[in-house]
Amino acid sequence: MIQAILKKIRYWQLIKNSNNTDEKPVKKEKKKLSLSLSTNIKWFKELLGKSDDIKVREFTFGNKRVVNAALIFIDGLVSNEIITESIMKPLLLYDESLQETPTNNAHDLMNQIQRRVLCSGDVTANSYVEDLVTSCLRGDTVLLLDGTCQGLVVSSKGWDKRSVTEPQTESVARGPREGFTENFRTNTSLLRRKIRSPALRMDSFTIGEKTHTMVCVAYLKGVADEKLIEEIKRRLNTLKVDAILESGYIEQYIEDAPFSLFPTIGKSEKPDVIAGKILEGRAAIIVDGTPFVLTAPMLFTESFQTAEDYYSRTLYASAIRLMRFLSFLIAVFAPAFYVAVTIFHQEMIPTKLLFTIAAAREGTPFPAVVESLILLLAFEVLREAGLRLPRPVGQAVSIVGALVMGDAAISAGLVGAPVVVTVAISAMAEFVTPENQDSITLLRLIFLLLSAALGGYGIMLGTLGMLIDLASLESFGVPYFAGIAPAHSHDMEDLFVRAPLWSMTERPPEFARKDRTRQKGSKPPFFHHKS
């Protein structure tokens, strides 16, 4: 019976797939411009609609021959100074008799205007109405002439944008304090300033049927694996969506393991961090409208590394990195370990400490696991409230709420003091590795429930499942747990500790497949023999 049902389902799936393959997408043909200026303006108004910010400036220019023309742009997206000084003024002062090459028709006149008259740095010709409308929506100005079926797209972007400031999510004590902004070209220029190499490539895409969002894949040609770049481009080209409003959209559409607790695509607001990853052989994905730039592939150990590690001295940076790994373990396992030892393994607790815990929990109405759940839920509520409220109010709510609620809960006898200390230590340890915040929150809850059910055995089973998940994950063909499993001698230089920069002579073998040499013979004077 079951086999018959499965065969029936398989039969309907095959029919559905065959129907999908038979259907060919109908490609809509683009409309070309007309020779009539009034007709072209009418088409533009039909596509752009009746909006107050859509401006159509009709005018005439020329001395020998009067030419009817029109400028089409969107107010608020363009710079009025560029339109006035670089487009309107040169055209109104245009004298055809002073030109060396005579113009026989409107098409020749358009070419002469493109090459000799307009003062903008970027002027391109296009004959399709849809493409010209898209250029207007991106902040460019379209110039149309009567008698020619071609338009000029003049770069005139001039909308307000946020200046380059220090990113709020990645503050450092030492290092560059500039961060990406919401402007696409500002972000690409910040990367160009860090990597002044002709090998830096930036391949652009337009994704989103409604938003037409600019997306750029930045990589170092000759260093990054060509298969990696092809795979990223393939995944981006397959996206058929209405909108891309933030890089998080791209991340969710192209990541390898969407249901894993761990992210397989990195992100950062700092140009120096993205530049460092590109120099290792990774690729960066820049999305217009967001300061967060994605990087791929990503390794598990990346979330324990910061840009400041490479600006500080070796011993201190290595000690801080080891502390991050320890903080991750504390944040995930501390509540679960407390519940396991207080319920199942009291013999592991020293006698004096056991009496102290028993005295503190005397009179509390809930078991240890319920106490932990209540405090963890209260902590998440306070953190979310502090994040969503305005900054001055949010800080007061989070600090005062934690102090008042914790003290009131202990005084009322709802929870014991030891569980409050345990949850507080776990919460503070979570802030050391903010990249793992999402995974820590879920893992802490999972391990807490496993310890409440099976004690220490539950923690061991959960740890085994987590390690199996980490070892099975991949990020664009690269093992997510690389450096630990599989291990490589070069990965140990920048894994749990950070080796001296002069000793890291090669790029990570997981990313760089061709040019792996990072430096040659750049040791400090201590290693040089005195003559």
Side-chain angles (χ1 to χ4, degrees):
M1 181 67 180
I2 296 177
Q3 291 181 353
I5 295 175
L6 293 176
K7 288 182 179 179
K8 196 71 173 176
I9 294 174
R10 180 61 177 167
Y11 171 73
W12 286 110
Q13 287 179 345
L14 292 174
I15 292 179
K16 184 177 179 181
N17 293 335
S18 63
N19 291 335
N20 291 336
T21 55
D22 292 339
E23 295 177 358
K24 294 182 180 180
V26 179
K27 188 175 181 180
K28 187 178 179 181
E29 293 185 359
K30 295 181 180 180
K31 183 188 294 184
K32 282 191 174 184
L33 289 174
S34 169
L35 293 175
S36 172
L37 179 62
S38 59
T39 302
N40 293 334
I41 294 176
K42 179 182 177 182
W43 287 345
F44 268 83
K45 290 182 177 180
E46 289 177 354
L47 289 176
L48 291 172
K50 295 181 179 180
S51 300
D52 293 337
D53 58 344
I54 306 298
K55 304 298 181 182
V56 179
R57 171 72 161 85
E58 298 186 53
F59 63 99
T60 59
F61 68 94
N63 294 329
K64 244 174 117 180
R65 178 178 52 176
V66 177
V67 180
N68 296 321
L71 287 178
I72 303 175
F73 58 92
I74 299 178
D75 190 19
L77 296 183
V78 300
S79 170
N80 291 325
E81 183 179 358
I82 293 177
I83 292 178
T84 303
E85 297 295 330
S86 302
I87 304 176
M88 290 293 298
K89 190 174 181 179
L91 286 175
L92 294 176
L93 297 177
Y94 173 75
D95 189 352
E96 189 176 358
S97 61
L98 299 178
Q99 302 298 325
E100 298 178 359
T101 305
T103 56
N104 299 322
N105 50 46
H107 183 72
D108 294 339
L109 177 61
M110 179 72 81
N111 292 333
Q112 193 170 88
I113 290 174
Q114 179 182 0
R115 296 180 180 181
R116 297 188 175 185
V117 178
L118 297 181
C119 301
S120 178
D122 186 11
V123 182
T124 58
N126 200 307
S127 301
Y128 296 100
V129 179
E130 289 81 359
D131 294 341
L132 294 173
V133 169
T134 302
S135 300
C136 282
L137 295 173
R138 290 177 179 171
D140 297 326
T141 300
V142 174
L143 172 63
L144 302 177
L145 300 183
D146 193 17
T148 176
C149 56
Q150 198 175 42
L152 292 182
V153 179
V154 186
S155 178
S156 59
K157 299 179 180 67
W159 56 73
D160 294 332
K161 58 183 179 181
R162 183 170 63 93
S163 59
V164 178
T165 57
E166 182 178 2
Q168 299 294 325
T169 59
E170 297 178 74
S171 57
V172 295
R174 179 177 181 177
R177 299 183 183 276
E178 58 186 5
F180 289 116
T181 68
E182 289 76 15
N183 185 263
F184 182 76
R185 280 303 165 210
T186 301
N187 295 341
T188 57
S189 65
L190 287 173
L191 268 184
R192 286 286 184 186
R193 286 173 52 192
K194 296 294 181 183
I195 307 177
R196 296 183 176 93
S197 170
L200 180 61
R201 298 288 189 269
M202 294 188 179
D203 300 336
S204 299
F205 302 82
T206 301
I207 303 178
E209 300 295 333
K210 305 298 183 185
T211 58
H212 298 283
T213 306
M214 292 293 297
V215 178
C216 171
V217 179
Y219 60 96
L220 208 58
K221 188 173 180 61
V223 175
D225 188 6
E226 295 179 359
K227 294 182 179 179
L228 167 67
I229 305 303
E230 292 176 0
E231 177 63 17
I232 294 176
K233 292 180 180 179
R234 185 192 66 81
R235 297 188 188 187
L236 292 175
N237 286 324
T238 56
L239 296 183
K240 304 298 180 184
V241 295
D242 281 348
I244 297 293
L245 301 178
E246 212 271 339
S247 57
Y249 281 55
I250 299 290
E251 179 181 0
Q252 295 179 60
Y253 280 121
I254 68 174
E255 63 182 343
D256 289 86
F259 296 106
S260 176
L261 298 179
F262 301 95
T264 55
I265 296 179
K267 65 179 183 299
S268 178
E269 284 188 88
K270 291 179 64 62
D272 56 322
V273 173
I274 300 300
K277 293 184 178 181
I278 289 176
L279 290 170
E280 287 184 344
R282 294 181 176 91
I285 303 175
I286 306 172
V287 181
D288 188 17
T290 175
F292 288 93
V293 176
L294 306 178
T295 57
M298 180 187 180
L299 303 183
F300 173 71
T301 54
E302 281 185 40
S303 54
F304 300 94
Q305 302 170 358
T306 63
E308 208 168 354
D309 290 349
Y310 304 93
Y311 309 145
S312 305
R313 301 182 72 237
T314 302
L315 295 179
Y316 176 76
S318 300
I320 294 298
R321 184 172 295 181
L322 289 174
M323 186 197 68
R324 295 192 193 105
F325 281 97
L326 179 61
S327 299
F328 175 79
L329 297 177
I330 293 174
V332 172
F333 292 102
F337 182 76
Y338 172 80
V339 170
V341 297
T342 54
I343 297 178
F344 294 94
H345 313 290
Q346 294 90 348
E347 67 278 2
M348 296 178 60
I349 307 175
T351 305
K352 291 185 178 181
L353 180 58
L354 181 61
F355 287 154
T356 303
I357 294 175
R361 296 196 66 250
E362 185 179 2
T364 55
F366 304 112
V369 60
V370 177
E371 291 179 354
S372 300
L373 287 174
I374 292 174
L375 289 176
L376 288 175
L377 178 61
F379 167 71
E380 295 298 332
V381 170
L382 286 173
R383 183 173 63 179
E384 190 69 15
L387 181 64
R388 303 304 169 193
L389 286 172
R391 185 172 301 174
V393 182
Q395 292 178 353
V397 168
S398 59
I399 296 174
V400 176
L403 293 175
V404 173
M405 290 181 61
D407 182 67
I410 296 174
S411 301
L414 297 177
V415 296
V419 70
V420 174
V421 174
T422 303
V423 172
I425 292 175
S426 175
M428 293 300 297
E430 177 184 343
F431 296 144
V432 178
T433 55
E435 288 290 332
N436 291 319
Q437 181 177 330
D438 297 344
S439 57
I440 286 176
T441 301
L442 297 176
L443 285 173
R444 185 164 48 199
L445 178 61
I446 293 172
F447 279 103
L448 180 63
L449 297 178
L450 288 174
S451 65
L454 302 173
Y457 297 104
I459 295 177
M460 287 193 298
L461 288 174
T463 304
L464 180 61
M466 181 181 68
L467 293 176
I468 291 175
D469 181 42
L470 287 172
S472 62
L473 287 178
E474 285 189 352
S475 177
F476 290 87
V478 177
Y480 187 65
F481 220 30
I484 303 175
H488 197 280
S489 58
H490 291 287
D491 293 327
M492 296 301 170
E493 298 175 348
D494 194 20
L495 189 61
F496 298 107
V497 297
R498 201 270 289 170
L501 294 179
W502 44 263
S503 67
M504 293 189 286
T505 58
E506 294 186 3
R507 295 183 174 90
E510 292 86 5
F511 313 125
R513 302 298 173 87
K514 292 182 179 181
D515 183 10
R516 291 182 52 187
T517 303
R518 181 180 284 168
Q519 58 179 321
K520 295 179 181 179
S522 301
K523 293 184 178 181
F526 176 79
F527 293 92
H528 297 167
H529 296 287
K530 295 182 179 181
S531 56

